[in-house]
Amino acid sequence: QQQVKQSPQSLIVQKGGISIINCAYENTAFDYFPWYQQFPGKGPALLIAIRPDVSEKKEGRFTISFNKSAKQFSLHIMDSQPGDSATYFCAASGKTSGSRLTFGEGTQLTVNP
Amino acid sequence: EPEVTQTPSHQVTQMGQEVILRCVPISNHLYFYWYRQILGQKVEFLVSFYNNEISEKSEIFDDQFSVERPDGSNFTLKIRSTKLEDSAMYFCASSEDWWGDTQYFGPGTRLTVL
């Protein structure tokens, strides 16, 4: 009930391409969905977040698409760059589950030059 | 830009020993968290802390774990008797507000239990 499923586990994209990472959740009480970016040896850093009152949020090259009925959300990275190579985690939290973030399994993104 | 700091960056200990991991959250933040990440796995919630008491804890956070805010700036995680399976990266995080607010993560402490 509390799980967040993330796919793919790893992703290789050419520079300039679009990277797409998908997440699905089960708990309908989740109502805050952040994406975190993690570089080796560093802590996760918030990239972008969305609440279910909107279906899409864009910040620069990063876009979250949210489908409430399907209980799915995805991260799109446009014009992917080698510097985007990192591990990406989706997460979710909800008022009824408190402030804890439930993370997906992570996606290792590699952007080839 | 304010950031969460953690010490030490790497801690090696023998099984059964006590360890204390230290964190300095962002100064105006009121909510504090510990998460852990076993190598190659996802980040898992351990505990949240507000107003000098635990707000919530996961099933991982058993009696071997404790948290404390000993002064106005530090936030610590103590593991009383470490096990091999406690080997992981431990992240401290803090947020200004509760639900739905950005949690800022520190760089982590890598704990290795031998």
Side-chain angles (χ1 to χ4, degrees):
Chain A
Q1 185 74 0
Q2 289 285 353
Q3 285 189 343
V4 177
K5 297 284 191 182
Q6 183 172 346
S7 63
Q9 188 174 14
S10 63
L11 181 63
I12 300 175
V13 174
Q14 291 299 119
K15 180 182 175 181
I18 302 173
S19 304
I20 302 174
I21 305 170
N22 301 298
C23 282
Y25 62 98
E26 299 169 351
N27 188 345
T28 54
F30 284 150
D31 49 14
Y32 173 68
F33 303 91
W35 283 90
Y36 279 82
Q37 180 188 56
Q38 185 181 30
F39 292 104
K42 303 288 187 182
L46 179 70
L47 193 61
I48 186 172
I50 197 169
R51 299 185 194 279
D53 52 341
V54 295
S55 60
E56 187 175 281
K57 182 174 182 180
K58 183 175 181 179
E59 289 184 2
R61 297 185 293 111
F62 302 93
T63 300
I64 300 179
S65 297
F66 184 80
N67 185 329
K68 188 174 181 178
S69 61
K71 292 185 286 185
Q72 294 175 347
F73 58 110
S74 59
L75 176 69
H76 292 63
I77 306 174
M78 311 298 288
D79 187 26
S80 299
Q81 299 297 312
D84 296 331
S85 296
T87 300
Y88 292 81
F89 291 95
C90 62
S93 71
K95 286 179 184 171
T96 57
S97 61
S99 55
R100 70 166 71 184
L101 289 171
T102 300
F103 282 85
E105 296 89 346
T107 296
Q108 176 74 51
L109 172 66
T110 302
V111 181
N112 289 326
Chain B
E1 183 176 319
E3 59 183 16
V4 177
T5 59
Q6 291 185 244
T7 54
S9 58
H10 191 190
Q11 175 90 45
V12 181
T13 189
Q14 295 291 325
M15 188 169 57
Q17 293 297 304
E18 174 182 287
V19 294
I20 297 176
L21 310 183
R22 291 182 168 80
C23 167
V24 178
I26 294 173
S27 61
N28 64 328
H29 286 185
L30 301 176
Y31 297 84
F32 314 117
Y33 313 86
W34 284 101
Y35 292 83
R36 80 171 185 190
Q37 185 179 31
I38 295 171
L39 187 63
Q41 297 186 24
K42 64 181 174 181
V43 179
E44 300 175 289
F45 170 81
L46 292 178
V47 66
S48 61
F49 191 85
Y50 168 72
N51 200 25
N52 279 320
E53 60 183 31
I54 291 174
S55 302
E56 54 184 322
K57 59 184 180 180
S58 72
E59 56 281 359
I60 302 169
F61 194 88
D62 60 22
D63 292 343
Q64 293 298 314
F65 292 89
S66 63
V67 289
E68 190 179 30
R69 187 155 166 83
D71 53 46
S73 60
N74 290 282
F75 179 49
T76 62
L77 174 69
K78 182 192 290 186
I79 309 174
R80 288 191 184 82
S81 178
T82 50
K83 308 182 186 73
L84 295 176
E85 54 265 36
D86 293 328
S87 294
M89 185 75 102
Y90 287 80
F91 293 107
C92 174
S94 69
S95 66
E96 193 171 353
D97 206 340
W98 178 61
W99 158 82
D101 193 37
T102 301
Q103 293 184 23
Y104 294 86
F105 283 73
T109 292
R110 178 166 297 285
L111 176 64
T112 301
V113 182
L114 302 176

